[in-house]
Amino acid sequence: MERQTLFDKILILDFGSQYTQLIARRVRECQIYSEIHPFNIPADKVKSLSPKGIIFSGGPASVYEKNAPLCDPALLSMGIPILGICYGMQLIAQLLGGEVTHSEKREYGKAKLTLDRDGKLFRGLGKKGSPLVVWMSHGDHVKTLPPGFHAIAHSKNTPFAAIEESRKKIYGLQFHPEVVHTQKGLDLIKNFLFHICECFNLWTMESFLEQTRQDLKKRIGAGKVICALSGGVDSTVVALLLHKAIGDRLQCIFVNNGLLRKKEASQVVNLFRHHFKIPLMVLNAENSFLKKLEGAVDPEDKRKRIGKEFISIFERQARKMGRVKYLAQGTLYPDVIESVSSKGPSATIKSHHNVGGLPEKMKLKLVEPLRELFKDEVRQLGKVLGMPDEIIKRQPFPGPGLAIRIIGEVNRERLKILREADEIVMREMEESQFLDQVWQSFAVLLPVKTVGVMGDERTYENVIALRVVGSQDGMTADWVRLPYKILERLSNRIINEVKGVNRVVYDISSKPPGTIEWE
């Protein structure tokens, strides 16, 4: 049986759109909880989740193609309000007896939408005949509407740009309301949530905290939990949340794997033992991790070796403590989306980067209370839990640590080089007051050496790449246009102060097509 929540819920079915996660974020911006599920989720599963509404995402396929992604047709007769976006609208039309064909005149980018009739979906967004600028991205269109449907808006090339069957509360949009390019797109989404789905139990961090606390107490019972603590925002919030739920049955364990940033271990110990007053066990395992990483070059192989060693350490510790059944970690929603290909037809990008690639079989059961949250939402939760700003604002740091910022094999010498370079990046960003303005700023050690000149001598040494990006939640990111003076200081300091480096380059890739981390 599914849990009874304190807040209303909207399901988003993923048909492969690049904007699926953005739809989820927009719904949450309206303080309504949203979850992304695979497009082929069964109707009985949907019923058990008790959503107030369902949104079908867009997608790259054509509904008339063989093997096109299809939802369970029963969803359309359950009485739950549905909004189909782009492919989602075309699928609704196809399943209910309409016709979808390839467009001779495709629409990509901005288009002018004209309202044809009043209705709840466009309530307050303009009168009949009013124009709105929207964002189109489609090569197919609905040629014939299903029985009972009406057109409520059109564009120059699309007669059915928005459709409705108000009696069944089923709506379709050929454009994307979730992107910023669509005028009043968020207001349209609000109309669907509040006037059509009739959502009223708002999702706040306070309600999430209370719901999660109840769920944790019920699930864990009288058992004990080990919390894998890194000192970052995610694992710290997990620790505080669990401590609030189960008290002294939580044992926080900080494993120094030798892959941390400079002085990070001592900072974590001081934070938990002196600020939060939460007992902390510290295990020094640098030698064992570096031994496990010998010969590993492939990033997925690194993650899995690190993950396996973490689990081995935690399981040994659990046996010593007795009655420990659970391992808690700070997995977030982007981790889940990027590493689980069942979320729609998208491909796996990488193993999520909390504890690294976890082994398929392990004796401890995972507790991941943040796996439904985006990064900025975790920070909001941290504020509710009373975390200090210096911790809340900490930049994300991957679970495998510097191992995936060293391209190629990891060893003590290469770790020392990267650690020193990374410390310079952090200090310079802090002094220039850019540290709090960016999502992440770090150094990457490349697996190449280049010729240089220092003094009158020829050098053949390592290359450091600088990565500075801006983002809201890590799902998308853009490189930061740092002032040349800051880039100059970073380059000069790293080359002059870090032995073994003679060249610095700046990464100007965005996500997508790249990722934030290099591995």
Side-chain angles (χ1 to χ4, degrees), residues 339-389:
S339 61
V340 181
S341 59
S342 64
K343 299 284 183 182
S346 56
T348 299
I349 297 173
K350 62 189 174 185
S351 302
H352 71 70
H353 40 254
N354 272 288
V355 179
L358 298 178
E360 291 183 9
K361 293 182 179 180
M362 62 180 194
K363 296 175 182 178
L364 295 170
K365 296 178 182 178
L366 279 179
V367 172
E368 299 170 311
L370 307 182
R371 66 182 285 115
E372 298 166 349
L373 301 184
F374 289 94
K375 188 76 176 188
D376 58 317
E377 293 167 339
V378 174
R379 288 181 169 137
Q380 293 171 29
L381 182 58
K383 285 187 177 182
V384 173
L385 287 166
M387 281 173 55
D389 277 352

Side-chain angles (χ1 to χ4, degrees), residues 298-363:
D298 178 76
E300 281 296 288
D301 186 26
K302 290 182 191 177
R303 290 176 185 276
K304 287 174 181 175
R305 292 190 190 197
I306 292 169
K308 189 175 181 180
E309 184 62 14
F310 264 121
I311 294 302
S312 177
I313 290 171
F314 292 136
E315 287 183 339
R316 286 198 301 270
Q317 199 58 45
R319 286 194 295 270
K320 292 179 183 177
M321 292 171 59
R323 291 184 64 198
V324 175
K325 295 181 179 180
Y326 301 97
L327 168 66
Q329 64 169 5
T331 305
L332 305 189
Y333 210 19
D335 300 327
V336 176
I337 293 167
E338 288 192 346
S339 61
V340 181
S341 59
S342 64
K343 299 284 183 182
S346 56
T348 299
I349 297 173
K350 62 189 174 185
S351 302
H352 71 70
H353 40 254
N354 272 288
V355 179
L358 298 178
E360 291 183 9
K361 293 182 179 180
M362 62 180 194
K363 296 175 182 178

Side-chain angles (χ1 to χ4, degrees), residues 76-241:
L76 299 171
S77 58
M78 293 177 66
I80 300 172
I82 295 175
L83 174 64
I85 297 174
C86 200
Y87 179 91
M89 165 178 154
Q90 294 162 14
L91 179 62
I92 288 170
Q94 181 95 340
L95 291 175
L96 294 178
E99 185 183 356
V100 178
T101 63
H102 183 69
S103 302
E104 292 183 6
K105 294 182 178 180
R106 298 179 296 173
E107 284 185 307
Y108 293 98
K110 289 183 179 179
K112 188 171 77 171
L113 186 83
T114 302
L115 301 183
D116 296 324
R117 57 190 289 166
D118 296 328
K120 290 184 178 180
L121 198 58
F122 286 88
R123 179 177 175 177
L125 304 189
K127 297 179 180 179
K128 183 178 177 179
S130 297
L132 287 172
V133 175
V134 299
W135 188 261
M136 295 280 192
S137 180
H138 67 100
D140 295 334
H141 72 279
V142 176
K143 183 179 180 180
T144 306
L145 289 178
F149 277 78
H150 301 281
I152 50 178
H154 71 275
S155 68
K156 182 179 179 182
N157 296 327
T158 307
F160 305 131
I163 63 175
E164 71 172 4
E165 215 290 22
S166 56
R167 191 170 49 85
K168 294 182 178 178
K169 297 185 178 180
I170 299 178
Y171 298 80
L173 302 173
Q174 187 56 74
F175 59 91
H176 290 272
E178 69 273 22
V179 303
V180 294
H181 311 293
T182 291
Q183 187 180 7
K184 299 183 179 180
L186 188 61
D187 292 324
L188 194 155
I189 292 171
K190 286 180 179 178
N191 281 343
F192 177 69
L193 299 176
F194 299 114
H195 298 304
I196 295 170
C197 299
E198 299 180 352
C199 295
F200 60 89
N201 291 314
L202 298 184
W203 185 66
T204 64
M205 280 303 112
E206 288 80 7
S207 65
F208 175 83
L209 172 60
E210 180 57 27
Q211 180 74 61
T212 306
R213 189 182 67 82
Q214 290 178 16
D215 291 345
L216 288 170
K217 288 182 73 173
K218 185 176 180 180
R219 181 184 174 190
I220 295 166
K224 294 181 181 178
V225 181
I226 285 176
C227 180
L229 193 70
S230 69
V233 178
D234 307 335
S235 65
T236 301
V237 169
V238 168
L240 293 178
L241 188 55

Side-chain angles (χ1 to χ4, degrees), residues 29 100 145 242 245 253 263 301 325 366 426 478 497 517:
E29 284 175 24
V100 178
L145 289 178
L242 280 163
I253 298 180
K263 300 178 183 177
D301 186 26
K325 295 181 179 180
L366 279 179
M426 297 303 289
D478 194 14
E497 298 176 30
E517 297 289 345

